[in-house]
Amino acid sequence: MGKIVFGPEPPPKCTRCPRLVAYRKENETQEPDWFNGAVPSFGTSQARLLIVGLAPGRNGANRTGRPFTGDYAGDLLYQTLLEFGFAKGEYHARPDDGLKLVDCMITNAVRCVPPLNKPEPSEIANCRPFFEARLANLPKLKVILALGRIAHDQTLATLEKRKTLHPFAHGARHELSADCVLYDSFHCSRYNTNTRRLTTEMFRSVFAEIRRELA
């Protein structure tokens, strides 16, 4: 049998992870009007910046069908993208709010919502072929921003880079190739901001560096 070829976006009702499928069915029963599926990437395929999150939030992207849309993490992320010119329009936490990304795409390391926001290692690995295809279909990619350690590790594993040579740290910059660099940030979750592990100023500083990188 030939090698299975994956596209950059999984089918909405992807079946690769039994635990996530069971959780999806549970959510479909409780909230049948929600998206409840593998959330597709958002943005332009000509983007130079790819932002990688952890996974859809149950009440956020799993509900709305757009990454980081409908929960606190999206409030901070999209506000920052608008401020630094990576988005235009207005963010109203709805997929039909008309917001457009500029030179930017947002995706997740794991495309289906995991229970308690904690994907298992096998689920991260199962989603890797889609992430690999996503990277391969961004011909102008220059900068990857990993929001959190799982996004950082998924990026390194996909590109076959050693973690010991590229340790995760907020604000860190890693050269992945002559054409692409990886930046790290703590995830913009409510928990991280409430505990001051990540402040708005810390988050903005990473985007300021990325904007200078792309200039």
Side-chain angles (χ1 to χ4, degrees), residues 48-77:
R48 292 184 297 163
L49 170 62
L50 177 67
I51 298 171
V52 186
L54 166 57
R58 180 185 183 275
N59 301 322
N62 178 66
R63 174 173 60 85
T64 64
R66 191 175 75 179
F68 287 88
T69 299
D71 54 22
Y72 176 80
D75 293 345
L76 178 56
L77 176 59

Side-chain angles (χ1 to χ4, degrees), residues 9-10 12 35 37-41 56 61-62 65-67 107-108 111-112:
E9 306 300 332
F35 179 77
V39 175
S41 307
N62 178 66
R66 191 175 75 179
T107 194
N108 278 307
R111 302 297 190 89
C112 295

Side-chain angles (χ1 to χ4, degrees), residues 51-55 68 106-110 145-148 150-152 187:
I51 298 171
V52 186
L54 166 57
F68 287 88
I106 304 173
T107 194
N108 278 307
V110 175
L145 171 59
L147 301 180
I150 288 179
H152 170 93
H187 196 282

Side-chain angles (χ1 to χ4, degrees), residues 37 40 50 53 80 123 135-136 147 150 161 186 196 199 204-205:
L50 177 67
T80 308
E123 294 160 353
L135 293 179
L147 301 180
I150 288 179
K161 302 293 182 180
F186 292 136
R196 304 289 290 176
T199 65
R204 290 181 71 257
S205 70

Side-chain angles (χ1 to χ4, degrees), residues 40-176:
S41 307
F42 172 45
T44 170
S45 62
Q46 299 303 303
R48 292 184 297 163
L49 170 62
L50 177 67
I51 298 171
V52 186
L54 166 57
R58 180 185 183 275
N59 301 322
N62 178 66
R63 174 173 60 85
T64 64
R66 191 175 75 179
F68 287 88
T69 299
D71 54 22
Y72 176 80
D75 293 345
L76 178 56
L77 176 59
Y78 285 115
Q79 171 190 328
T80 308
L81 291 176
L82 286 163
E83 179 180 352
F84 283 90
F86 289 113
K88 62 182 179 181
E90 295 183 2
Y91 173 69
H92 294 295
R94 305 188 318 269
D96 61 351
D97 56 15
L99 185 80
K100 302 293 184 184
L101 297 187
V102 179
D103 201 17
C104 176
M105 177 176 278
I106 304 173
T107 194
N108 278 307
V110 175
R111 302 297 190 89
C112 295
V113 58
L116 302 176
N117 292 323
K118 294 181 179 179
E120 296 180 346
S122 61
E123 294 160 353
I124 298 170
N126 282 343
C127 220
R128 190 165 300 143
F130 301 112
F131 186 66
E132 181 179 12
R134 180 69 278 164
L135 293 179
N137 281 270
L138 292 173
K140 297 183 178 180
L141 183 64
K142 297 294 183 183
V143 177
I144 300 171
L145 171 59
L147 301 180
R149 186 179 299 275
I150 288 179
H152 170 93
D153 289 350
Q154 180 78 305
T155 300
L156 295 182
T158 301
L159 297 176
E160 300 182 336
K161 302 293 182 180
R162 292 173 59 185
K163 294 179 185 179
T164 54
L165 298 179
H166 305 281
F168 176 83
H170 180 80
R173 178 186 182 276
H174 311 273
E175 291 195 10
L176 301 177

